[in-house]
């Protein structure tokens, strides 16, 4: 079975439908599947529920799907960088569910691992716990959170071999490995596809079992907060 | 004299201990990294998925794949390691991080903290703050004593939606340092900033507190 597709359009063909749930990897603009996001935009799919830690910025990343009003609901931990998001949310055009970042990460991990729910101390006594079961273990209260799965996960990795074994790079890993496990179908864009056997099996972050389709793309990799230090006068 | 931002960061750095794994929040807490004493082994965690955070890169050496939790470009150092956000929050939730230093809009005398949401204004989200205050072994808040309207941020009860209930161990402000007593009996004033008097703190603090022996 060949996992490698020629381009974004063919990699997403037959996978999209209105009202579907999509997980999209990345933290801020770091490690986002920017070409597959653009592919979803071009597919014209509507009414999306998107599970992603952030919502991109105006005109880039998931911001592109907000501009075209293709997103109906976001499940995120932080959405502060997007004016169009703000406008749609305040106008009641967009539904938003906030999850604490660690709870979001664990819900995705649990979903991919076949765990329907778990208990966490995060959010106990806050708005996040309202309407959820709270149970005491060893004298401390924990709130029940459910696992998350998606119809489609779109993921960005650094390298893959032809069988879909993945290696991520630096902090671009973030939510990508868990999302790869929690999609009914997982499509991955990578910077380089290398021959099977050329990656050290001990250094593979995500085994190919989680990867259904694979494309090699060129990424812009925009930097959100360029911060530098001065060279001291030598 | 109330402490400046830099002096607040310098004071907060005294909370660090050799061998600590530490998560620093955005704003003044980030500046604490500049005051780690020479020779002290402190490892900084970035909750997006890194231990051993290095300084900002030199111009031209920025790497879009290498950012901190504030989305700023950073660098790696010899002891750095990378991991997924699930592993990162397992570290946090599982109590493996020694210390979290973070900012707040309000802190209450029972250790409640509010720092993620102002109802009626745009809500940006809590990010990792709720996980950090619930999971990290020791939680230290660094903030101005009063808001820009001059109202106390050290309160009897928080008025804003909580980030965590009963989770704060210590409050460091520009005027003073308070400990949240572990028996739930409230705050204890343990330190005054240079030149600040007990009367000044009393006038600017809404919360009830006791004064530790020898302070003032």
């Amino acid at each position: 079975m060949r996992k490698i597709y020629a381009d974004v359009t063919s990699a997403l063909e037959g996978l999209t439908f209105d009202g579907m749930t999509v997980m999209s990897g990345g933290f801020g603009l770091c490690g986002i599947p920017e070409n597959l996001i653009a592919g979803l935009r071009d597919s014209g799919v509507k009414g999306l529920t998107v599970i992603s830690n952030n919502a991109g910025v105006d005109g880039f990343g998931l911001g592109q799907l907000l501009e075209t009003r293709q997103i109906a609901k976001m499940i995120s931990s932080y959405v502060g960088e997007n004016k169009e998001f703000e406008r749609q949310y305040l106008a009641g055009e967009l539904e938003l569910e906030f999850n604490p970042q660690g709870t979001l990460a664990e819900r995705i991990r649990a979903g991919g691992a076949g765990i329907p729910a778990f208990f966490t101390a995060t959010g106990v006594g806050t708005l996040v716990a309202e309407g959820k079961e709270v149970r005491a273990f060893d004298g401390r209260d924990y709130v029940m959170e459910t696992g998350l799965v998606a119809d489609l996960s779109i993921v960005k990795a650094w390298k893959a071999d032809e069988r879909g074994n993945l290696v991520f790079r630096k902090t671009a890993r973030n939510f990508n490995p868990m999302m790869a496990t929690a999609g009914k179908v997982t499509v991955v864009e990578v910077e380089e596809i290398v021959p099977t056997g050329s990656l050290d099996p001990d250094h593979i972050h995500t085994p190919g079992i989680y990867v259904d389709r694979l494309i090699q793309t060129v990424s812009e990799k925009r930097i959100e907060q360029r911060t530098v230090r001065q060279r001291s006068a030598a | 004299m109330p402490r400046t931002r830099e002096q607040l960061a310098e004071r907060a750095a005294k909370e660090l201990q050799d061998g600590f794994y530490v998560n620093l929040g955005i704003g003044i807490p980030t500046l604490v990294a500049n005051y780690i004493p020479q020779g002290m082994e402190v490892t900084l965690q970035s909750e997006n998925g890194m231990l051993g955070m290095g300084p900002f890169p030199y111009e031209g050496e920025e790497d879009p794949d290498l950012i901190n939790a504030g989305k700023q470009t950073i660098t790696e150092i010899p002891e750095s390691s990378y991991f997924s956000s699930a592993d990162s929050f397992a570290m946090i939730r599982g109590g493996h991080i020694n210390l979290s230093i973070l900012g707040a809009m309000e802190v209450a005398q029972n250790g409640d903290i509010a720092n993620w949401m102002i109802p009626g204004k745009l809500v940006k989200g809590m990010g990792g703050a709720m996980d950090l205050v619930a999971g990290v072994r020791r939680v230290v808040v660094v903030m101005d004593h009063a808001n820009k309207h001059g109202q106390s941020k050290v309160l009897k009860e928080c008025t804003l939606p909580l980030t965590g209930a009963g989770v704060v161990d210590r409050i460091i402000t520009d005027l003073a340092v308070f400990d949240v007593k572990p028996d739930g009996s409230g705050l204890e004033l343990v330190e005054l900033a240079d030149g600040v008097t007990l009367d000044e703190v009393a006038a600017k603090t809404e919360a009830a507190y006791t004064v530790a022996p020898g302070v003032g």
Side-chain angles (χ1 to χ4, degrees), chain A residues 27 30 54 77-79 98 100-103 120 122 140 169-172 174 178 221 225-229 231, chain B residues 56-58 61-67 69 71-73 76 85-86 89 93 124-128 131 134:
Chain A
F27 175 85
C30 182
N54 311 92
S77 86
Y78 189 85
V79 295
F98 275 129
Q101 193 176 336
T103 295
T120 174
T122 301
R140 188 174 183 194
R169 185 171 177 273
K170 303 182 188 281
T171 57
N174 55 63
M178 298 84 79
K221 297 213 269 189
Q225 304 278 348
R226 188 178 300 274
T227 314
V228 297
R229 71 185 138 138
R231 285 176 202 275
Chain B
F56 296 132
Y58 292 119
E61 294 176 3
E62 309 92 325
D63 184 339
D65 288 339
L66 183 45
I67 63 169
K71 284 122 190 168
Q72 296 171 307
T73 43
E76 66 184 24
S85 300
F89 283 93
R93 206 186 298 105
K124 295 186 172 190
M126 70 290 280
D131 308 278

Side-chain angles (χ1 to χ4, degrees), chain A:
Chain A
M1 199 186 112
R2 296 270 302 168
K3 293 184 177 180
I4 301 170
Y5 285 69
D7 53 34
V8 167
T9 309
S10 59
L12 289 174
E13 200 178 324
L15 300 181
T16 58
F17 57 92
D18 290 351
M20 72 188 299
T21 299
V22 178
M23 285 183 186
S24 183
F27 175 85
L29 298 179
C30 182
I32 60 170
E34 54 181 79
N35 293 286
L36 287 165
I37 292 170
L40 279 183
R41 177 197 60 199
D42 296 342
S43 78
V45 64
K46 293 190 296 288
L48 296 173
T49 293
V50 176
I51 301 167
S52 173
N53 189 60
N54 311 92
V57 297
D58 288 302
F60 193 66
L62 291 173
Q64 296 174 71
L65 295 180
L66 287 163
E67 244 164 43
T68 51
R69 313 279 187 93
Q70 286 167 276
I71 300 178
K73 179 179 178 181
M74 290 284 318
I75 301 176
S76 302
S77 86
Y78 189 85
V79 295
E81 325 295 347
N82 195 310
K83 291 247 184 327
E84 178 59 17
F85 187 102
E86 182 175 343
R87 195 200 63 69
Q88 289 183 24
Y89 177 66
L90 293 175
E93 296 166 13
L94 181 69
E95 196 184 337
L96 172 61
E97 178 187 323
F98 275 129
N99 283 192
Q101 193 176 336
T103 295
L104 182 62
E106 190 63 13
R107 290 185 74 191
I108 299 164
R109 196 199 69 80
I115 295 171
F118 59 93
F119 283 88
T120 174
T122 301
V124 169
T126 76
L127 291 176
V128 162
E130 279 183 10
K132 295 174 185 167
E133 182 182 343
V134 173
R135 200 187 291 183
F137 296 89
D138 291 329
R140 188 174 183 194
D141 283 344
Y142 296 82
V143 59
M144 190 178 83
E145 298 282 359
T146 53
L148 283 172
V149 292
D151 297 306
L152 170 68
S153 283
I154 54 175
V155 161
K156 164 77 197 320
W158 180 39
K159 284 183 183 181
D161 68 17
E162 294 152 320
R163 301 294 287 268
N165 293 310
L166 304 181
V167 177
F168 301 95
R169 185 171 177 273
K170 303 182 188 281
T171 57
R173 191 182 318 182
N174 55 63
F175 282 80
N176 283 298
M178 298 84 79
M179 288 186 174
T181 71
K184 284 179 194 151
V185 182
T186 293
V187 182
V188 182
E189 64 175 80
V190 297
E191 293 170 45
E192 188 183 5
I193 298 175
V194 299
T196 300
S198 61
L199 295 175
D200 182 339
D202 265 335
H203 292 174
I204 285 163
H205 297 132
T206 292
I209 188 171
Y210 298 113
V211 176
D212 299 293
R213 299 184 182 187
L214 192 60
I215 42 166
Q216 184 171 306
T217 57
V218 175
S219 300
E220 177 187 335
K221 297 213 269 189
R222 206 179 280 188
I223 292 176
E224 206 164 330
Q225 304 278 348
R226 188 178 300 274
T227 314
V228 297
R229 71 185 138 138
Q230 297 303 312
R231 285 176 202 275
S232 50

